[in-house]
């Protein structure tokens, strides 16, 4: 006897870390987060209410309805992609939140969104601004077939990537991207080096600045969901008038502190506190 205790299996450790991450994100007890993450019926991750606006048109409605009816095998394939950093998760989110036409223009749009989002993830990983999910965590959560569970695991990463798009950070973004890709190109992991080559080609050959607004919409949409907030494109009511959410405003932690809103018939974008906004869909 050595007096040592066997280490818990990696999936069990990963699950506990995922629960702790959700508890910290929502500001609830560990036990509450565990119930949210896992249903009582035997391990199926509970799905949160989806509020992403699907827009008009029968084809678009059919597309979203079909996605909700995916088989478990198809959902696992999607979540494996969603847990593959940096390029896989970027590709998953771009497919999950396609361009949306609203009265004031198009949201979630712009050429190169996938590459731009993957570059943001590379910057966060390089600068180590937040603890990144481990390979064990990502592998475990990917096999659940629930994208919400992957979102919980990647919440800190997504939030740090979103912070890079705030107005006071964007002006110095591209030198940070170049530094991150250079470091990724020296990684011991072959997949990391391949990702650096792919993203480096995109950075040199494509103007990605126009994609950043669409990437901002995507990250706002995935981040508001745990707080039952309204993503870009959601229809809301303010001061008795209908309008459209164009974006969210964030503090360092917690739910969105406000929203960017354009009222129907107007051109101005208003910054509205979340407490002053009627988020009941209209």
């Amino acid at each position: 006897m050595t007096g040592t205790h066997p280490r818990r299996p990696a999936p069990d450790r990963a699950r506990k870390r995922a629960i702790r991450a959700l508890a910290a994100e929502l500001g609830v007890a560990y036990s509450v987060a565990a119930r949210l993450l896992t249903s009582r019926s035997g391990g199926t991750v509970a799905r949160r209410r989806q509020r992403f606006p699907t827009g008009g048109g029968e084809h678009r409605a059919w597309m979203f309805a079909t996605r909700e009816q995916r088989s478990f095998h198809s959902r696992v394939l999607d979540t494996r992609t969603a847990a593959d950093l940096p390029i896989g998760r970027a590709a998953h989110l771009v497919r999950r939140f396609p361009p949306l036409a609203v009265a004031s223009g198009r949201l979630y749009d712009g050429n190169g969104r996938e590459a731009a989002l993957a570059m943001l993830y590379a910057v966060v990983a390089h600068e180590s601004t937040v603890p990144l999910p481990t390979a064990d965590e990502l592998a475990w959560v990917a096999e659940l077939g629930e994208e919400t569970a992957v979102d919980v695991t990647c919440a800190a990463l997504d939030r740090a990537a979103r912070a890079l798009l705030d107005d006071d950070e964007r002006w110095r973004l591209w030198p940070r991207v170049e530094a991150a890709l250079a470091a990724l190109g020296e990684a011991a992991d072959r997949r990391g080096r391949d990702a650096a080559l792919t993203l480096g080609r995109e950075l040199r050959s494509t103007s990605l600045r126009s994609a950043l607004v669409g990437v901002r919409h995507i990250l706002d949409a995935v981040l508001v969901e745990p707080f039952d907030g309204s993503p870009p494109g959601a229809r809301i009511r303010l001061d008795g008038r209908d309008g459209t959410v164009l974006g969210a405003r964030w503090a360092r932690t917690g739910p969105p502190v406000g929203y960017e809103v354009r009222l129907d018939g107007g051109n101005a974008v208003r910054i509205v506190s979340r407490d002053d906004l009627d988020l009941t869909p209209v």
Side-chain angles (χ1 to χ4, degrees):
M1 297 291 290
T2 63
T4 61
H5 297 283
R7 196 177 185 189
R8 291 180 182 274
D12 186 52
R13 298 197 307 273
R15 178 180 180 276
K16 290 180 181 296
R17 282 193 291 267
I19 294 172
R20 287 196 295 270
L22 179 59
E25 181 72 14
L26 300 183
V28 298
Y30 180 93
S31 59
V32 175
R35 288 196 297 272
L36 288 173
L37 187 64
T38 307
S39 71
R40 295 188 181 95
S41 61
T44 301
V45 175
R47 297 180 185 176
R48 298 194 188 100
R49 179 164 58 97
Q50 298 293 320
R51 299 192 65 176
F52 179 68
T54 60
E58 291 184 3
H59 174 73
R60 193 173 178 88
W62 173 85
M63 180 179 68
F64 280 93
T66 300
R67 190 175 190 278
E68 287 299 309
Q69 299 301 318
R70 289 168 297 166
S71 67
F72 178 73
H73 175 70
S74 295
R75 287 190 283 115
V76 169
L77 292 178
D78 281 346
T79 50
R80 286 174 180 169
T81 300
D84 182 17
L85 300 174
I87 293 178
R89 178 152 186 78
H92 166 81
L93 290 179
V94 168
R95 289 197 301 267
R96 181 170 151 193
F97 299 106
L100 174 69
V102 297
S104 57
R106 290 176 65 82
L107 306 179
Y108 306 91
D109 204 6
N111 292 329
R113 299 186 310 284
E114 180 178 326
L117 181 51
M119 290 175 192
L120 296 182
Y121 289 144
V123 170
V124 174
H126 173 59
E127 297 182 355
S128 301
T129 54
V130 295
L132 299 178
T134 67
D136 284 347
E137 287 178 279
L138 293 170
W140 174 79
V141 79
E143 298 307 310
L144 296 175
E146 292 288 350
E147 58 196 17
T148 300
V150 183
D151 293 345
V152 169
T153 304
C154 295
L157 174 68
D158 290 335
R159 192 159 187 140
R162 172 61 181 82
L164 293 173
L165 298 179
D166 286 338
D167 292 339
D168 57 349
E169 292 290 337
R170 287 175 59 176
W171 69 272
R172 61 190 187 100
L173 176 61
W174 300 113
R176 297 165 75 181
V177 168
E178 292 174 351
L181 296 185
L184 190 60
E186 300 295 326
D189 180 13
R190 171 66 181 273
R191 294 173 67 253
R193 297 196 301 272
D194 289 345
L197 287 173
T198 299
L199 296 176
R201 285 194 296 267
E202 290 286 340
L203 183 62
R204 292 188 296 271
S205 64
T206 308
S207 176
L208 298 174
R209 293 182 185 275
S210 62
L212 295 182
V213 175
V215 169
R216 187 174 184 264
H217 296 152
I218 290 170
L219 290 171
D220 279 344
V222 74
L223 288 169
V224 300
E225 188 175 332
F227 303 103
D228 204 22
S230 288
R235 298 286 292 161
I236 50 80
R237 185 175 295 274
L238 177 66
D239 298 334
R241 297 175 59 187
D242 294 340
T244 302
V245 173
L246 300 182
R249 293 294 181 99
W250 300 92
R252 293 190 63 183
T253 60
V257 296
Y259 291 92
E260 299 167 6
V261 174
R262 178 174 286 146
L263 298 178
D264 292 357
N267 293 320
V269 176
R270 299 178 59 175
I271 310 301
V272 183
S273 167
R274 65 188 301 268
D275 297 328
D276 297 332
L277 196 63
D278 181 359
L279 297 179
T280 303
V282 298

